Amino acid sequence: MKRLLCLALTLAMLAMSALPAAAEEATVAPVSEAVEEEVAAALDAGDTGLTVEGEAAPAETLAEAPADPIDTETADAAPEDEPATAVAAASNVAATGIQLSASAITVGVKEEYKGLTVSAVPAGAALPAVTWRSDNEKLVRVDQSGVVTGVKAGKANVFARFEGGQEVSCAVTVLKGPRKLVMSETKLTLGGDGQTTRLSYTMPSGYASNTFTWSSSNPKVATVDQNGVVTTVGAGKANIMVKAYNGKGGKCKVTVLGAPTGIAFPAESMAVALSQTRKLEPTVTFSTRKKADASVAFAISPNSRDSGCITLNAATGEITGVRKGTAVVTATTYNGKSAALTVTVAAAPTDIGLSQSAAYIGVKDVYSGLFANLSTPAGETDVVDTVVWTTSNKRIATVDQNGVITGVRKGSCVITATTVTGLKDTCKVTVFKAPKKVYISPASAQLKVGEVNQFKYAFPKNTGGTVVFTSSDNAIATIDNDGVVTAVAEGEVTVTVTAFNGKKATAKLLVKGKAGEDVDLPTQEYDSVESTTSLYRENMTNAEKLEYVIYCAQSMLGRPYVHGSGYHDDDYKVGFDCSGLVYWCFKRINIKLKDTAHKQGYDNSQQKIVSIASLKRGDIVCFNTVEDGADDLVDHTGIYLGNGEFIHASSSGKKVIKSSLSGYYSRTFSWGRRVLG
């Protein structure tokens, strides 16, 4: 009975749902009489088949049952706040047009290009069936999958269209396939066990290819991915190749060594000037003697005293000085080998002067007497002392980075020293044929104790080179490499001059008696040459300043002779050369002189004193120790003390000494320079 009742109600509701929603007063079609009777009987029995809150629904609630049937399939799928019909429509949007992935492409002859794709407009709409065509199949073909093929060099268009829509086009340029590819590297030497590097290529202009394939001839030595990244595997050789669609390409010959065994910087420390950029170049060692790229990575150590004093390019190793300070830079190979370098940032020098403007050497002669003197900025104590040495003609003479010159063949060239800031000074080098003989003059000489003289040397015509002078007994007489001999004690010695190639000559020197005065001395004399001023003060008179200069010079007595030293404030700890002592002493009163003897002698900003008799205490005394009669050369300087004495750094005496303006020094005196009137 319940089933019949439910059937009747269902039929009634279906009939009602079939009516238009607006026809609220429309008549519902009657059910059959048999059904009416069955329903009435069920009502009399109180069996409706409906329940309300768990109880049988009373007869009067039947009229309130829902009039519209529920579609259980769509009800489950539709959101609570959206009609089911809206969901169905969203997944079925019709395309209003199409678009191509490119408006223009370039392909090679006989190349298949699969990169041209089509998409629906609007985005997300279903893509309709598309047909393709070319407007010139003699140049370009396209299949119905959109694959474009270049037929012949030229230009054409391909079109895509869907039924009922407009065509869209892509301009196609067809070029010849490349004959070769130019590799970024044609040879590489790498370390083994996982080092990586990336190769690239370029294609000559006027050719086209869109497909490139990388490969290795020996994957057991090195592999390569399709981005050109090479990874080493084991020791050996392999060709890394890249090919275009037509098989043409390029290759790089790769030699793989063992993994790096170590890495080291040329020195434990280096200096860089403020704002200067320098590139670090550590040396990587391998199990073999061959060199290889080791993919070195650079970093500033966090334990640095001042990590911010430099900036660093971690890939290239370029450092730039930012402020004064010290930092530690590490260099690490791809397999973990590491080295450390201490970098100090200091001021740049303000000037550079070479120890000589000319040098004369022989073929195969090695000359180490050229030095660079650097000037320190005011208020600074240290400068970057790095100097780069170059030669104008390495076929005539070479120079290393210590300034050591080697003669190669006869001729002349220019050696240049350059500071980190680009300051330069030069020395002209003349190279002669090696001598077959060397001569010394005089063949014999006699001096008194304390006197100074000079031995000279000569070579046969068109030959030359450097020489060394020696004394057979330095306790009797000493001699420097310029041939200046100083008598020390009575006795006899042999003086020998030796050319760079071993050729020798000798002379005899007899020392007897003591030196006397043989020169007119200045009329203004002093009871003592000792300084009267040992403390520097502001507002000193010129006379007091000169006394302080003399005090500084006398306090350096006995310091060693060191060529090229004296141009930095702390050089007194090491020693001086002649012009370095003069420079250092006058700098104590904030007067900066020229930095070589020649420049000090020819500094025309200072009064020239033409005779020994006109000298005053504190004047610079200038000498021409070559004794060749020329008055246009100054190669030695000192500071006049008065009473016929001067103080200087003597290369023959090997230290800072006092000497008399008599004998040798009276003969070689050129003139004086007055710094303070």
Side-chain angles (χ1 to χ4, degrees):
M1 189 64 181
K2 290 181 179 180
R3 288 196 298 272
L4 290 174
L5 180 57
C6 290
L7 178 61
L9 290 172
T10 300
L11 291 172
M13 288 187 287
L14 287 172
M16 294 174 65
S17 66
L19 296 176
E24 296 180 356
E25 298 180 357
T27 303
V28 179
V31 299
S32 66
E33 293 182 357
V35 173
E36 277 189 357
E37 290 177 356
E38 187 172 353
V39 171
L43 291 173
D44 290 340
D47 185 4
T48 65
L50 300 175
T51 58
V52 178
E53 295 182 355
E55 299 181 358
E60 56 267 30
T61 63
L62 184 60
E64 300 175 6
D68 297 325
I70 299 176
D71 185 344
T72 57
E73 292 181 0
T74 58
D76 291 339
E80 293 181 359
D81 57 350
E82 183 178 349
T85 54
V87 176
S91 62
N92 222 358
V93 175
T96 60
I98 57 174
Q99 62 183 9
L100 295 178
S101 57
S103 60
I105 60 173
T106 301
V107 300
V109 173
K110 297 184 180 180
E111 179 182 12
E112 289 188 349
Y113 180 76
K114 300 179 180 180
L116 188 61
T117 60
V118 63
S119 59
V121 178
L127 181 65
V130 175
T131 58
W132 294 83
R133 73 179 181 88
S134 167
D135 65 0
N136 190 341
E137 292 195 349
K138 292 182 179 181
L139 299 178
V140 177
R141 292 176 185 170
V142 61
D143 66 16
Q144 294 309 307
S145 298
V147 177
V148 178
T149 302
V151 179
K152 184 179 178 181
K155 294 184 178 181
N157 297 291
V158 296
F159 299 86
R161 183 184 181 211
F162 74 99
E163 187 175 357
Q166 292 183 340
E167 286 185 320
V168 290
S169 66
C170 175
V172 180
T173 300
V174 182
L175 300 176
K176 292 180 180 180
R179 296 179 180 177
K180 65 177 181 178
L181 299 176
V182 181
M183 300 289 287
S184 56
E185 301 285 348
T186 56
K187 288 183 180 180
L188 277 178
T189 302
L190 304 174
D193 299 337
Q195 183 179 359
T196 62
T197 190
R198 185 170 185 173
L199 294 174
S200 60
Y201 57 85
T202 56
M203 187 165 49
S205 177
Y207 298 88
S209 178
N210 294 281
T211 304
F212 302 93
T213 305
W214 290 89
S215 63
S216 170
S217 66
N218 193 346
K220 292 183 179 180
V221 173
T223 62
V224 62
D225 66 15
Q226 293 310 305
N227 292 314
V229 177
V230 179
T231 303
T232 62
V233 179
K237 295 183 178 181
N239 290 327
I240 302 299
M241 297 165 287
V242 61
K243 292 183 179 180
Y245 76 93
N246 61 352
K248 305 296 183 182
K251 69 179 179 180
C252 175
K253 295 180 180 180
V254 176
T255 300
V256 178
L257 309 178
T261 57
I263 183 173
F265 287 101
E268 294 181 355
S269 62
M270 68 173 289
V272 61
L274 292 169
S275 301
Q276 181 197 7
T277 297
R278 296 184 65 181
K279 186 175 182 180
L280 304 180
E281 295 180 338
T283 299
V284 180
T285 55
F286 295 82
S287 56
T288 65
R289 292 184 178 180
K290 294 182 178 179
K291 294 182 179 180
D293 173 24
S295 298
V296 177
F298 298 88
I300 300 175
S301 171
N303 297 324
S304 297
R305 186 184 305 171
D306 182 5
S307 60
C309 69
I310 60 171
T311 60
L312 170 68
N313 185 315
T316 64
E318 289 182 322
I319 59 173
T320 301
V322 176
R323 61 170 181 261
K324 290 190 219 177
T326 301
V328 176
V329 175
T330 59
T332 306
T333 64
Y334 68 91
N335 66 334
K337 303 299 180 182
S338 184
L341 175 72
T342 300
V343 179
T344 300
V345 182
T350 57
D351 197 7
I352 182 174
L354 293 183
S355 55
Q356 57 199 83
S357 58
Y360 305 92
I361 64 176
V363 173
K364 296 184 179 180
D365 194 356
V366 178
Y367 180 64
S368 57
L370 187 63
F371 297 91
N373 302 311
L374 303 179
S375 300
T376 306
E380 300 288 349
T381 58
D382 296 307
V383 296
V384 178
D385 58 3
T386 302
V387 174
V388 177
W389 295 87
T390 56
T391 176
S392 64
N393 191 340
K394 62 183 179 181
R395 298 178 65 186
I396 301 297
T398 62
V399 62
D400 68 15
Q401 291 312 304
N402 293 313
V404 177
I405 306 168
T406 301
V408 178
R409 71 179 186 181
K410 183 180 177 181
S412 62
C413 63
V414 175
I415 301 298
T416 302
T418 307
T419 70
V420 295
T421 53
L423 300 173
K424 297 180 180 181
D425 198 8
T426 59
C427 173
K428 182 179 179 180
V429 175
T430 303
V431 181
F432 295 94
K433 290 182 179 180
K436 294 181 179 180
K437 279 186 176 183
V438 61
Y439 305 98
I440 188 170
S441 64
S444 63
Q446 180 173 331
L447 293 176
K448 295 179 180 180
V449 174
E451 285 188 333
V452 177
N453 205 340
Q454 184 176 37
F455 283 90
K456 298 179 181 180
Y457 66 92
F459 295 115
K461 189 176 181 180
N462 296 325
T463 64
T466 59
V467 299
V468 174
F469 283 94
T470 55
S471 167
S472 62
D473 190 343
N474 287 330
I476 295 174
T478 62
I479 190 167
D480 65 15
N481 280 335
D482 293 322
V484 177
V485 62
T486 301
V488 178
E490 292 188 338
E492 187 176 18
V493 296
T494 298
V495 173
T496 303
V497 60
T498 305
F500 71 93
N501 62 345
K503 305 300 180 180
K504 296 181 180 180
T506 60
K508 294 295 183 178
L509 173 65
L510 176 64
V511 179
K512 187 176 181 181
K514 293 184 179 181
E517 300 293 338
D518 61 354
V519 64
D520 292 332
L521 297 177
T523 56
Q524 182 182 1
E525 294 298 316
Y526 298 83
D527 292 336
S528 171
V529 295
E530 298 300 319
S531 171
T532 59
T533 302
S534 61
L535 181 66
Y536 182 78
R537 307 183 311 275
E538 296 292 335
N539 302 320
M540 295 176 81
T541 65
N542 286 348
E544 289 172 329
K545 288 180 180 179
L546 289 174
E547 287 298 316
Y548 185 68
V549 167
I550 291 170
Y551 164 77
C552 292
Q554 290 176 333
S555 66
M556 294 296 110
L557 284 169
R559 297 283 183 179
Y561 177 88
V562 178
H563 189 81
S565 183
Y567 305 98
H568 300 87
D569 288 342
D570 58 356
D571 277 359
Y572 71 92
K573 300 176 183 177
V574 178
F576 303 92
D577 66 8
C578 64
S579 58
L581 176 68
V582 176
Y583 179 98
W584 188 87
C585 291
F586 275 92
K587 192 177 179 184
R588 301 310 99 198
I589 61 171
N590 296 319
I591 292 178
K592 186 176 178 182
L593 301 177
K594 301 296 183 181
D595 53 10
T596 67
H598 181 83
K599 291 179 181 179
Q600 288 173 0
Y602 283 90
D603 187 355
N604 291 323
S605 65
Q606 298 162 357
Q607 181 184 353
K608 187 175 183 179
I609 311 301
V610 296
S611 68
I612 292 176
S614 300
L615 290 173
K616 291 184 178 180
R617 187 170 166 87
D619 287 345
I620 299 175
V621 284
C622 307
F623 302 90
N624 173 11
T625 62
V626 176
E627 280 195 279
D628 59 1
D631 62 355
D632 61 347
L633 179 65
V634 173
D635 58 11
H636 187 68
T637 55
I639 300 172
Y640 185 63
L641 303 176
N643 290 340
E645 292 184 337
F646 70 101
I647 190 168
H648 61 130
S650 170
S651 60
S652 60
K654 307 301 181 185
K655 59 186 177 181
V656 177
I657 61 174
K658 290 180 185 178
S659 294
S660 171
L661 271 172
S662 62
Y664 171 74
Y665 286 115
S666 68
R667 294 193 304 273
T668 58
F669 176 79
S670 297
W671 55 73
R673 290 290 180 183
R674 185 156 296 156
V675 180
L676 294 175

